[in-house]
């Protein structure tokens, strides 16, 4: 299954695309960390803060997100693959899920598409904590 | 599997498509429940709607094997295997390229804003993403003399 589908991890995925003559900036060029930021001193939406609140440890040492999450979240032996976990978190109960209600549920917030080769990839970026 | 090594093959020109939210779209992704064949319905090769896939494939000189395929796109994978080990290129790459290349000229980008969900569906039982699929919308030609 895992072999079936390949996702390229991009060190930096920044780009502009002219569609229908309009150049549109990507609001989330680095995927996870572009959206999971600190919006105020009260509202910390960064992944280290979120994960700490659900009792997750060992996230201090990571560098590239989400690439380095795969140091542990890899292989099919786990109860849930990283993909299944992240897809579920962002798409479960769409009517109440902020990712769909507020951010439109776009695949391209996390993924990118290489229009030359047709390979879909996952955006990534350095941790913001 | 998280494949680090692949990031080395990043080509010079990498376009990151963005989620677009302007202008009217021709329908919502949910209006195309069977993916390819829900959208590729026109009997003519050029027109407002996307042409039937058997006609398109014939127009680019594809073998009749495409036309003989029953379930689209799943059946195409007997040659276009996802792991690139089939007799032809993995279907995902080919299909992505034809729907995303060419910028402003591309009708899939122009009319459908390149929304992945026209072709893909999240399977909520295991949170895997699959390509929507359905039976061909053209006459059965199997056994007919060419």
């Amino acid at each position: 299954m895992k072999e079936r589908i390949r996702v390229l991890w991009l060190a930096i995925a920044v780009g502009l695309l002219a569609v229908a003559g309009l150049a549109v900036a990507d609001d989330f060029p680095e995927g996870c960390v572009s959206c999971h930021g600190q919006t105020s001193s009260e509202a910390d939406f960064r992944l280290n803060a979120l994960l700490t609140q659900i009792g997750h440890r060992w996230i201090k040492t990571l560098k590239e997100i989400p690439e380095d999450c795969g140091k542990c979240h890899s292989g099919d032996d786990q109860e849930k693959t990283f993909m299944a976990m992240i897809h579920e978190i962002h798409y479960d109960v769409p009517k109440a899920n902020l990712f769909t209600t507020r951010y439109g549920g776009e695949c391209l917030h996390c993924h990118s598409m290489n229009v030359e080769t047709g390979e879909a990839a996952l955006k990534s970026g350095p941790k913001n904590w | 599997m998280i494949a680090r090594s692949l990031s080395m093959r990043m080509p010079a020109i990498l376009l990151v498509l963005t989620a677009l939210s302007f202008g009217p779209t021709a329908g919502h992704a949910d209006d195309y429940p069977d993916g390819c064949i829900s959208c590729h319905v026109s009997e003519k090769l050029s027109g407002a709607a996307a042409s039937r896939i058997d006609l398109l494939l014939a127009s680019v000189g594809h073998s009749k094997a495409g036309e003989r395929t029953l379930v689209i796109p799943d059946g195409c994978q007997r040659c276009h295997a996802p792991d690139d080990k089939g007799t032809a290129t993995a279907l995902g790459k080919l299909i992505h390229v034809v729907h995303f290349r060419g910028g402003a000229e591309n009708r899939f980008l122009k009319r459908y804003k390149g929304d992945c969900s026209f072709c893909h569906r999240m399977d909520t039982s295991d949170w895997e993403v699959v390509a929507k699929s359905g039976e061909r919308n053209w006459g059965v030609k199997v056994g007919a003399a060419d």
Side-chain angles (χ1 to χ4, degrees):
Chain A
M1 190 64 218
K2 280 279 141 182
E3 312 282 83
R4 258 195 37 162
I5 312 180
R6 258 185 326 169
V7 160
L8 294 181
W9 288 80
L10 307 179
I12 312 163
V14 194
L16 292 173
L17 174 75
V19 178
L22 290 170
V24 182
D26 183 353
D27 287 338
F28 308 103
E30 297 185 336
C32 321
V33 290
S34 298
C35 190
H36 285 281
Q38 185 163 25
T39 48
S40 72
S41 54
E42 263 100 78
D44 193 349
F45 198 53
R46 290 177 301 175
L47 287 176
N48 58 331
L50 297 180
L51 290 173
T52 303
Q53 279 159 29
I54 59 177
H56 197 298
R57 299 178 290 154
W58 321 290
I59 36 185
K60 275 212 186 79
T61 56
L62 305 181
K63 292 197 181 77
E64 280 291 307
I65 310 298
E67 197 168 346
D68 289 349
C69 309
K71 283 179 179 163
C72 306
H73 294 280
S74 57
D76 295 323
D77 45 321
Q78 270 156 315
E79 204 185 311
K80 255 201 189 125
T81 62
F82 192 61
M83 173 194 70
M85 201 167 71
I86 297 301
H87 282 168
E88 180 174 10
I89 287 173
H90 295 86
Y91 288 100
D92 205 10
V93 202
K95 283 203 185 89
N97 195 308
L98 273 176
F99 184 74
T100 42
T101 58
R102 176 149 176 203
Y103 296 98
E106 299 294 343
C107 316
L108 286 168
H109 291 335
C110 295
H111 291 280
S112 61
M113 176 64 72
N114 183 324
V115 301
E116 308 272 305
T117 64
E119 281 174 292
L122 206 55
K123 299 178 189 173
S124 114
K127 70 171 171 195
N128 52 1
W129 61 85
Chain B
M1 183 64 76
I2 292 172
R4 282 162 158 269
S5 55
L6 290 171
S7 59
M8 305 310 296
R9 301 209 320 233
M10 210 171 51
I13 318 160
L14 179 85
L15 297 180
V16 177
L17 295 162
T18 59
L20 305 169
S21 51
F22 55 84
T25 332
H28 185 259
D30 292 350
D31 298 338
Y32 301 86
D34 296 331
C36 325
I37 50 140
S38 302
C39 188
H40 284 276
V41 293
S42 172
E43 312 272 319
K44 285 187 302 197
L45 255 182
S46 61
S51 326
R52 259 177 20 210
I53 284 168
D54 56 328
L55 304 175
L56 281 175
L57 290 181
S59 79
V60 298
H62 196 285
S63 75
K64 293 233 169 176
E67 209 174 297
R68 281 194 298 269
T69 306
L70 182 61
V71 181
I72 317 294
D74 286 2
C76 311
Q77 302 198 342
R78 67 189 189 279
C79 298
H80 296 280
D83 60 4
D84 255 335
K85 297 209 176 90
T87 53
T89 315
L91 194 64
K93 288 194 254 182
L94 287 175
I95 295 302
H96 289 160
V97 168
V98 298
H99 292 84
F100 289 99
R101 73 178 165 202
E105 296 305 304
N106 187 299
R107 291 188 296 130
F108 183 73
L109 292 179
K110 211 154 58 184
R111 292 173 52 106
Y112 303 97
K113 294 188 205 153
D115 190 337
C116 318
S117 302
F118 282 112
C119 296
H120 289 288
R121 182 172 58 76
M122 192 74 77
D123 181 341
T124 55
S125 67
D126 57 8
W127 299 101
E128 297 238 9
V129 170
V130 296
K132 298 176 187 173
S133 197
E135 272 196 32
R136 66 179 168 221
N137 52 356
W138 56 87
V140 184
K141 300 244 182 65
V142 179
D146 292 49

